[in-house]
Amino acid sequence: MSNDISDDPWAQRVYLTWLARDTRYALTALTALTAYAQNTPVPPAAWVCFEDFLSFLGKVSRTLWPAPGKGPNGTDKGLEWRTKRGPFLRKILEVEDSSPLKAREVRNGSEHFDERLDEWIVSLPRPTVEEWQADTKPTFPAPPMRLINVEAGTIQVAGADLDLRFMAEELQRLLTKIEDLEPSAAALPTDMAALLATLPRVPIIPFDAPAEDPGGIQAWLDEQNSTDPGTATGDTEA
């Protein structure tokens, strides 16, 4: 195994095909989300697409900007490659740090929405009947809503906005670049390309390669071809 991703075509193929897979799924979920969001009221299915979109967008982002540290089952070698993986992929795919793919505010806001509900609940005043009657009730903070703005083309989670049109353009640009570098990602179905890319590379064994018989595989084949068929099967002449 090479010590650098740039010298390992198989590793590059694995990374690019899986990144293409997650990018396509993010685009598919985003397209469905946009279609559902045209309805009034927005149907529950839109929020399923919303969560799917953020999930696959997170996978794309973490592939390009890996999380630090080894993780519970990590190794030093794996961490070394993870450290190299992000810069290498961003370079060949021409992804800048200013890319919307790196923005995590909306994703974090959605993944940790329960924590924001906790903070809202504990900060919400509990006015008494006397306060209501005296019209001295306190100001209530706005809940941490998740909103879809179809006209503006944005989604908002706990005050953080994500421009869906800009995101769609960047995801499509990324996918096109991946397919230019790794044609199999475009020629094959999404999951099949990713699966085939991860199969171990098996070296092609030439017929004259050495085997247990010093004569090699070719010598064994020659021996089989030169053997009398009747003798090989145990037959005798009548």
Side-chain angles (χ1 to χ4, degrees), residues 73-104:
N73 299 312
T75 63
D76 290 336
K77 189 65 177 178
L79 177 59
E80 178 185 347
W81 271 62
R82 186 177 309 117
T83 303
K84 297 177 180 178
R85 182 231 304 164
F88 174 79
L89 290 177
R90 294 198 303 273
K91 180 179 179 180
I92 65 173
L93 295 173
E94 300 175 359
V95 179
E96 303 292 338
D97 277 346
S98 58
S99 169
L101 299 175
K102 188 179 181 181
R104 297 180 177 178

Side-chain angles (χ1 to χ4, degrees), residues 46-214:
W47 297 106
V48 175
C49 297
F50 171 85
E51 296 293 348
D52 287 344
F53 167 63
L54 292 183
S55 175
F56 284 107
L57 179 60
K59 294 177 185 296
V60 171
S61 182
R62 287 189 294 272
T63 300
L64 296 171
W65 288 275
K70 288 192 294 187
N73 299 312
T75 63
D76 290 336
K77 189 65 177 178
L79 177 59
E80 178 185 347
W81 271 62
R82 186 177 309 117
T83 303
K84 297 177 180 178
R85 182 231 304 164
F88 174 79
L89 290 177
R90 294 198 303 273
K91 180 179 179 180
I92 65 173
L93 295 173
E94 300 175 359
V95 179
E96 303 292 338
D97 277 346
S98 58
S99 169
L101 299 175
K102 188 179 181 181
R104 297 180 177 178
E105 292 82 8
V106 169
R107 294 203 316 275
N108 288 340
S110 182
E111 291 174 2
H112 301 282
F113 197 75
D114 62 309
E115 297 174 15
R116 284 157 176 78
L117 282 177
D118 291 335
E119 295 300 328
W120 179 67
I121 288 173
V122 299
S123 66
L124 195 67
R126 273 68 165 177
T128 64
V129 174
E130 290 75 17
E131 288 175 319
W132 278 96
Q133 291 175 342
D135 198 23
T136 57
K137 57 183 180 295
T139 301
F140 296 96
M145 298 296 291
R146 291 183 281 195
L147 305 171
I148 302 175
N149 189 326
V150 179
E151 294 183 359
T154 63
I155 55 178
Q156 183 184 93
V157 178
D161 291 305
L162 188 65
D163 189 321
L164 298 180
R165 295 166 186 166
F166 191 22
M167 183 64 73
E169 291 174 1
E170 180 68 353
L171 285 168
Q172 187 58 61
R173 188 204 66 80
L174 178 66
L175 182 59
T176 301
K177 188 67 178 177
I178 294 172
E179 293 174 346
D180 287 342
L181 295 173
E182 182 52 56
S184 65
L188 296 172
T190 303
D191 279 342
M192 182 180 293
L195 177 61
L196 290 178
T198 58
L199 294 178
R201 299 190 70 186
V202 179
I204 299 175
I205 303 175
F207 280 121
D208 59 352
E212 291 184 5
D213 182 345

